[in-house]
Amino acid sequence: MTSLAERAEMAANGDSPTAPAMPSEIASEPLPDLSGYVPAEGEEWADIPVHIAWLRVRRDIAFIGKGDAYVENGKKKYDFRGYERTVAAFGPITLKHGVSVIPHRLAPSHRDAKSGKGTPMREATTKVTWRVYGPRGDYFEMESEGESLDYADKGTAKAQTIAQRVALLVGGLIPTGAPDSDESNIERGEAPPRTAASYRDEILEPGTSRQRMAQINYEIKQVGLFDSKIVNEAEIEEGLGAFLYRIGQERFAGGGQ
């Protein structure tokens, strides 16, 4: 797989970047040739504020279609705009206008999960604050979130990749040409309520972060489980809220995350 720098060099030399090989379950149309958007050597960026530079980026991109498809057992399940397709569109054009999109602050959280077949997995959720810098060095910020499931150690990277794609597409107001979501109607079913025991198990997980513990505290108050009795790790009955506070004190007393 070529890096973004290698692709930019190929584009500057008049070569078309080659799309990376995709897994067998992903079908992808060729990525667009954007070599004309790479600035010539010695070209200077316009002295304009960042919001104007961003508008010019949006003007030049205009549209990114859902050129990638997820295929299962030889049958296409759905179309989507992949990360590589999005970056291939934004990368050269932001370079042309002197715009940089930089992750400024990350707030990740993790928890154990299982696949539909019961395989242990790790769920990662990441909120990212992005700074969009213009040619003058001024910037504005935008936030996005990404969520992923992974069998190994790639969950956080996947979640951040999704968050970046969302930020670029939503912040750039980039249409897909897909049917409007209002053209279909899905009846929402009620999600099964969480039990005090399920919260107890999550609290006991060593990987449950301080941030997630604070969120659990809010959730159990909202759903009326704060004073519910659970059987703790010592097989003694204890209030869920008191149990959460005690485990939090034991785990994070030294200032851990």
Side-chain angles (χ1 to χ4, degrees):
M1 178 181 297
T2 57
S3 67
L4 289 178
E6 289 170 336
R7 282 180 230 161
E9 182 179 356
M10 292 168 61
N13 293 331
D15 298 322
S16 298
T18 303
M22 306 295 287
S24 58
E25 68 271 25
I26 302 295
S28 179
E29 296 176 1
L31 296 176
D33 181 4
L34 299 171
S35 57
Y37 289 105
V38 179
E41 184 176 354
E43 180 180 345
E44 295 184 0
W45 292 301
D47 184 19
I48 56 175
V50 62
H51 66 283
I52 298 299
W54 185 248
L55 287 173
R56 292 183 179 182
V57 169
R58 289 175 50 193
R59 176 197 62 195
D60 286 354
I61 293 178
F63 173 85
I64 303 176
K66 293 186 175 182
D68 305 302
Y70 179 76
V71 180
E72 185 176 317
N73 298 324
K75 183 178 180 181
K76 185 171 77 170
K77 304 289 287 187
Y78 56 85
D79 298 316
F80 66 97
R81 295 184 288 190
Y83 173 77
E84 286 292 333
R85 183 170 300 278
T86 303
V87 171
F90 272 90
I93 297 178
T94 52
L95 180 62
K96 173 186 176 183
H97 294 292
V99 173
S100 296
V101 182
I102 308 295
H104 174 64
R105 186 182 302 110
L106 282 77
S109 62
H110 306 84
R111 72 181 185 93
D112 290 329
K114 290 185 178 181
S115 69
K117 297 181 179 180
T119 304
M121 302 188 75
R122 191 71 168 160
E123 180 183 275
T125 303
T126 301
K127 176 185 284 187
V128 186
T129 301
W130 305 91
R131 281 190 174 179
V132 181
Y133 287 89
R136 289 180 176 177
D138 55 335
Y139 66 86
F140 65 84
E141 293 185 349
M142 53 186 177
E143 286 187 348
S144 62
E145 290 191 9
E147 181 177 323
S148 70
L149 282 173
D150 192 69
Y151 297 101
D153 59 351
K154 305 297 188 296
T156 300
K158 289 180 178 179
Q160 186 174 342
T161 295
I162 293 168
Q164 183 178 18
R165 183 184 66 190
V166 170
L168 292 173
L169 294 176
V170 175
L173 296 178
I174 307 299
T176 66
D180 195 285
S181 58
D182 288 338
E183 294 180 9
S184 61
N185 179 51
I186 300 175
E187 293 187 5
R188 184 185 296 274
E190 291 296 327
R194 288 196 64 175
T195 64
S198 72
Y199 278 113
R200 173 203 61 198
D201 294 341
E202 184 178 358
I203 293 166
L204 283 174
E205 284 290 336
T208 302
S209 66
R210 180 194 293 269
Q211 180 184 10
R212 176 56 188 154
M213 296 284 261
Q215 185 177 353
I216 290 173
N217 182 59
Y218 173 80
E219 290 177 10
I220 62 178
K221 288 179 178 178
Q222 290 295 110
V223 298
L225 293 176
F226 188 85
D227 295 320
S228 297
K229 299 297 183 182
I230 51 94
V231 177
N232 64 23
E233 75 281 13
E235 298 187 0
I236 299 173
E237 195 173 75
E238 186 175 7
L240 181 59
F243 171 73
L244 170 65
Y245 178 80
R246 177 174 61 81
I247 295 297
Q249 289 292 305
E250 294 173 358
R251 185 173 298 166
F252 305 114
Q257 297 298 316

